[in-house]
């Protein structure tokens, strides 16, 4: 069975070393995840795709108890 990413805009999978896809502001360098069109810090529309590091600190998490949309 072929594996299909449920949200290809969220991470670079399939890949040998998948990464989360965020955005970085070209004005103030704020980084967001998931990617956003407008910067939450300065409000400018200078966000560009930014691959997040594969290691870091997990600050919070949640679970969803339902299947994703088909
Ligand atoms: Zn900004």
């Amino acid at each position: 069975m072929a594996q299909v990413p449920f949200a290809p805009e969220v991470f670079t999978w399939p890949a040998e070393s998948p990464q989360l896809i965020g955005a970085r502001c070209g004005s103030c360098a704020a980084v967001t995840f998931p990617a956003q069109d407008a910067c939450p810090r300065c409000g400018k529309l200078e966000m560009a795709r930014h691959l997040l590091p594969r290691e870091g600190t997990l600050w919070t998490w949640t679970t969803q108890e339902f299947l994703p949309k088909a």
Side-chain angles (χ1 to χ4, degrees), residues 24-31 38-47:
R24 185 176 186 274
C25 178
S27 180
C28 75
V31 175
C39 177
R41 182 185 294 163
C42 72
K44 295 190 177 175
L45 300 174
E46 299 178 18
M47 303 300 283

Side-chain angles (χ1 to χ4, degrees), residues 1-62:
M1 175 186 292
Q3 295 181 328
V4 179
F6 74 93
E9 71 282 2
V10 174
F11 51 90
T12 61
W13 182 85
E16 188 169 316
S17 299
Q19 289 177 263
L20 294 173
I21 301 171
R24 185 176 186 274
C25 178
S27 180
C28 75
V31 175
T32 67
F33 178 81
Q36 298 181 17
D37 293 331
C39 177
R41 182 185 294 163
C42 72
K44 295 190 177 175
L45 300 174
E46 299 178 18
M47 303 300 283
R49 177 183 157 116
H50 179 74
L51 296 180
L52 301 178
R54 292 180 43 82
E55 295 183 15
T57 301
L58 179 63
W59 290 92
T60 188
W61 59 276
T62 188

